[in-house]
Amino acid sequence: MTTELLVALIAVAVVVLGGGAALLVRRGRSELPPPRDLDAITEEVIDHPEHPEPHLPSEDEEPPFEEVPADEKASASPTTTVERPEPAQGRLVRLRARLARSNSSLGRGLLSVLGRADLDDAAWEELEDTLLAADVGVGPTTELVDRLRTRVRVEGITDPEGARTALREELITLVDPSLDRAVATTGADGKPGVVLVVGVNGTGKTTTVGRLARVLVAEDRTVVLGAADTFRAAAADQLSTWGQRVGVEVVRGPEGGDPASVGFDTVKRGIESGADVVVIDTAGRLHTKSGLMDELGKVKRVAEKQAPVTEVLLVIDATTGQNGLRQAQVFGEVVDVTGVVLTKLDGTAKGGIVVAVQRELGVPVKFVGLGEGADDLAPFDAAEFVDALLG
Ligand code: GDP
């Protein structure tokens, strides 16, 4: 082999390897998680192109590839997929029509009985039955009927409007406007607030974590999500999609990995990135109570090695009624629940479950789910809820 040939071969090898290395760098970049400040990064890429202008076909030249339809281009571009979620205030009022099914059986049922000229024993019994059928629970139902009966007698209420006012006031008292329904998302010592979301699988836990992230982003809070439900592969993917939509980072672990280590890593990442709030999704397999206790307890303990958990939200599916309530009680015994998210309230006639949940678990309902949309999670308010029920 001549020296010239050797030099030529080395030159070819350098060019080929160099090109390969450049490809690897580019591939590496495209595998990074979606950046936070996408506009700035897009500008940087436009300002400093890595490669010279590609050859663009002239008007009469056939394009070398198929045109991507405009709508596909939009969904492929990360800059266009970051959404600005709507603020959460006033959602219960906006979504009040979603309570229509509860409204017709509970609200209207009560009003139709109270509107009668003669409120005899049979009428009061009917009122009681309506409340029980709407899952209000025995204790609160007796309480409400007794108070209403007394008011009607003592105040001499005879007109439907007077009865409606008394019913509204008593229902609000029952739902309890004095409860603190704010979700504790503020951390101490410069650390993020840590929200743990627990509940039986299928109740809408992961959806709630995603929606909560949107509520926080709408309040200009910075968020990190943790996919600690490592047993359900789809849960982490689902959460990543929620995160991407609003430009929020999602920490996930290997499938079937230790949920507690994901919880730990999420809070660590939250601290490192200076996030305001960390929200952790957990697994809700109700196999044995002791298994659940070990797992959830460990997630909480290990996360708290980084920063205290400020809120534990229990997600309950409103359509599961008393059964759901019993399952929820198990969670209440395992972790110190500080608030309830009642999902699927749009799909049930049993809106009275709000009262029963609070009574049975001794914690306030803080949010209600009223649909399958991304922003269908409404902060709960006693008066607004009762007004929505009474139509
Ligand atoms: P997880 O297993 O507890 O994490 O449950 P998911 O978050 O995967 O939710 C289960 C299903 O419930 C999904 O199809 C959600 O869209 C649906 N869902 C969640 N919240 C609501 C709600 O408030 N209303 C309705 N109608 N569906 C909901």
Side-chain angles (χ1 to χ4, degrees), residues 96-108:
R96 64 192 293 165
R98 304 274 177 89
L99 285 165
R101 288 174 66 183
S102 288
N103 184 326
S104 52
S105 69
L106 180 56
R108 285 205 203 117

PDB file of all heavy atoms in Angstrom, residues 96-108:
ATOM      1  N   ARG A  96     -71.656  23.730  36.575  1.00  0.00           N
ATOM      2  CA  ARG A  96     -72.804  23.314  37.395  1.00  0.00           C
ATOM      3  C   ARG A  96     -73.784  22.433  36.628  1.00  0.00           C
ATOM      4  O   ARG A  96     -74.427  21.566  37.216  1.00  0.00           O
ATOM      5  CB  ARG A  96     -73.514  24.518  38.022  1.00  0.00           C
ATOM      6  CG  ARG A  96     -74.155  25.469  37.041  1.00  0.00           C
ATOM      7  CD  ARG A  96     -74.557  26.755  37.718  1.00  0.00           C
ATOM      8  NE  ARG A  96     -75.640  26.547  38.688  1.00  0.00           N
ATOM      9  CZ  ARG A  96     -75.975  27.441  39.615  1.00  0.00           C
ATOM     10  NH1 ARG A  96     -75.308  28.560  39.727  1.00  0.00           N
ATOM     11  NH2 ARG A  96     -76.976  27.218  40.421  1.00  0.00           N
ATOM     12  N   ALA A  97     -73.861  22.623  35.326  1.00  0.00           N
ATOM     13  CA  ALA A  97     -74.775  21.799  34.524  1.00  0.00           C
ATOM     14  C   ALA A  97     -74.371  20.323  34.559  1.00  0.00           C
ATOM     15  O   ALA A  97     -75.196  19.440  34.357  1.00  0.00           O
ATOM     16  CB  ALA A  97     -74.800  22.294  33.084  1.00  0.00           C
ATOM     17  N   ARG A  98     -73.076  20.072  34.840  1.00  0.00           N
ATOM     18  CA  ARG A  98     -72.596  18.688  34.902  1.00  0.00           C
ATOM     19  C   ARG A  98     -73.185  17.944  36.108  1.00  0.00           C
ATOM     20  O   ARG A  98     -73.114  16.737  36.199  1.00  0.00           O
ATOM     21  CB  ARG A  98     -71.068  18.651  35.011  1.00  0.00           C
ATOM     22  CG  ARG A  98     -70.356  19.372  33.900  1.00  0.00           C
ATOM     23  CD  ARG A  98     -70.168  18.448  32.697  1.00  0.00           C
ATOM     24  NE  ARG A  98     -69.546  19.161  31.603  1.00  0.00           N
ATOM     25  CZ  ARG A  98     -68.242  19.258  31.417  1.00  0.00           C
ATOM     26  NH1 ARG A  98     -67.426  18.654  32.251  1.00  0.00           N
ATOM     27  NH2 ARG A  98     -67.767  19.933  30.410  1.00  0.00           N
ATOM     28  N   LEU A  99     -73.679  18.716  37.062  1.00  0.00           N
ATOM     29  CA  LEU A  99     -74.299  18.083  38.227  1.00  0.00           C
ATOM     30  C   LEU A  99     -75.769  17.809  37.974  1.00  0.00           C
ATOM     31  O   LEU A  99     -76.515  17.487  38.886  1.00  0.00           O
ATOM     32  CB  LEU A  99     -74.154  18.989  39.464  1.00  0.00           C
ATOM     33  CG  LEU A  99     -72.773  19.036  40.115  1.00  0.00           C
ATOM     34  CD1 LEU A  99     -72.676  20.205  41.070  1.00  0.00           C
ATOM     35  CD2 LEU A  99     -72.487  17.735  40.843  1.00  0.00           C
ATOM     36  N   ALA A 100     -76.180  17.920  36.724  1.00  0.00           N
ATOM     37  CA  ALA A 100     -77.606  17.808  36.383  1.00  0.00           C
ATOM     38  C   ALA A 100     -78.240  16.533  36.915  1.00  0.00           C
ATOM     39  O   ALA A 100     -79.371  16.552  37.387  1.00  0.00           O
ATOM     40  CB  ALA A 100     -77.778  17.893  34.878  1.00  0.00           C
ATOM     41  N   ARG A 101     -77.495  15.425  36.861  1.00  0.00           N
ATOM     42  CA  ARG A 101     -78.104  14.163  37.308  1.00  0.00           C
ATOM     43  C   ARG A 101     -78.337  14.181  38.816  1.00  0.00           C
ATOM     44  O   ARG A 101     -79.377  13.730  39.303  1.00  0.00           O
ATOM     45  CB  ARG A 101     -77.239  12.981  36.903  1.00  0.00           C
ATOM     46  CG  ARG A 101     -77.314  12.755  35.410  1.00  0.00           C
ATOM     47  CD  ARG A 101     -76.370  11.701  34.961  1.00  0.00           C
ATOM     48  NE  ARG A 101     -76.730  10.391  35.483  1.00  0.00           N
ATOM     49  CZ  ARG A 101     -76.014   9.298  35.274  1.00  0.00           C
ATOM     50  NH1 ARG A 101     -74.912   9.370  34.590  1.00  0.00           N
ATOM     51  NH2 ARG A 101     -76.401   8.142  35.748  1.00  0.00           N
ATOM     52  N   SER A 102     -77.379  14.702  39.564  1.00  0.00           N
ATOM     53  CA  SER A 102     -77.580  14.839  41.006  1.00  0.00           C
ATOM     54  C   SER A 102     -78.705  15.819  41.251  1.00  0.00           C
ATOM     55  O   SER A 102     -79.561  15.631  42.106  1.00  0.00           O
ATOM     56  CB  SER A 102     -76.317  15.398  41.667  1.00  0.00           C
ATOM     57  OG  SER A 102     -75.325  14.430  41.670  1.00  0.00           O
ATOM     58  N   ASN A 103     -78.638  16.882  40.467  1.00  0.00           N
ATOM     59  CA  ASN A 103     -79.598  17.963  40.585  1.00  0.00           C
ATOM     60  C   ASN A 103     -81.031  17.454  40.464  1.00  0.00           C
ATOM     61  O   ASN A 103     -81.885  17.757  41.305  1.00  0.00           O
ATOM     62  CB  ASN A 103     -79.256  18.962  39.473  1.00  0.00           C
ATOM     63  CG  ASN A 103     -80.099  20.195  39.501  1.00  0.00           C
ATOM     64  OD1 ASN A 103     -81.265  20.107  39.859  1.00  0.00           O
ATOM     65  ND2 ASN A 103     -79.523  21.312  39.138  1.00  0.00           N
ATOM     66  N   SER A 104     -81.286  16.612  39.453  1.00  0.00           N
ATOM     67  CA  SER A 104     -82.675  16.197  39.261  1.00  0.00           C
ATOM     68  C   SER A 104     -83.150  15.266  40.370  1.00  0.00           C
ATOM     69  O   SER A 104     -84.279  15.378  40.824  1.00  0.00           O
ATOM     70  CB  SER A 104     -82.863  15.558  37.895  1.00  0.00           C
ATOM     71  OG  SER A 104     -81.913  14.556  37.721  1.00  0.00           O
ATOM     72  N   SER A 105     -82.252  14.382  40.851  1.00  0.00           N
ATOM     73  CA  SER A 105     -82.750  13.451  41.865  1.00  0.00           C
ATOM     74  C   SER A 105     -82.710  14.044  43.265  1.00  0.00           C
ATOM     75  O   SER A 105     -83.629  13.851  44.035  1.00  0.00           O
ATOM     76  CB  SER A 105     -81.966  12.150  41.812  1.00  0.00           C
ATOM     77  OG  SER A 105     -80.666  12.371  42.262  1.00  0.00           O
ATOM     78  N   LEU A 106     -81.651  14.767  43.571  1.00  0.00           N
ATOM     79  CA  LEU A 106     -81.547  15.281  44.940  1.00  0.00           C
ATOM     80  C   LEU A 106     -82.200  16.663  45.072  1.00  0.00           C
ATOM     81  O   LEU A 106     -83.218  16.808  45.752  1.00  0.00           O
ATOM     82  CB  LEU A 106     -80.073  15.339  45.368  1.00  0.00           C
ATOM     83  CG  LEU A 106     -79.795  15.858  46.784  1.00  0.00           C
ATOM     84  CD1 LEU A 106     -80.546  15.052  47.841  1.00  0.00           C
ATOM     85  CD2 LEU A 106     -78.309  15.841  47.084  1.00  0.00           C
ATOM     86  N   GLY A 107     -81.638  17.634  44.381  1.00  0.00           N
ATOM     87  CA  GLY A 107     -82.148  18.999  44.502  1.00  0.00           C
ATOM     88  C   GLY A 107     -83.629  19.118  44.186  1.00  0.00           C
ATOM     89  O   GLY A 107     -84.426  19.553  45.020  1.00  0.00           O
ATOM     90  N   ARG A 108     -83.991  18.687  42.996  1.00  0.00           N
ATOM     91  CA  ARG A 108     -85.397  18.824  42.585  1.00  0.00           C
ATOM     92  C   ARG A 108     -86.305  17.957  43.431  1.00  0.00           C
ATOM     93  O   ARG A 108     -87.425  18.343  43.753  1.00  0.00           O
ATOM     94  CB  ARG A 108     -85.573  18.501  41.110  1.00  0.00           C
ATOM     95  CG  ARG A 108     -85.041  19.650  40.299  1.00  0.00           C
ATOM     96  CD  ARG A 108     -85.633  19.775  38.929  1.00  0.00           C
ATOM     97  NE  ARG A 108     -84.647  20.509  38.160  1.00  0.00           N
ATOM     98  CZ  ARG A 108     -84.015  20.037  37.111  1.00  0.00           C
ATOM     99  NH1 ARG A 108     -84.293  18.844  36.663  1.00  0.00           N
ATOM    100  NH2 ARG A 108     -83.123  20.745  36.494  1.00  0.00           N
TER     101      ARG A 108
END
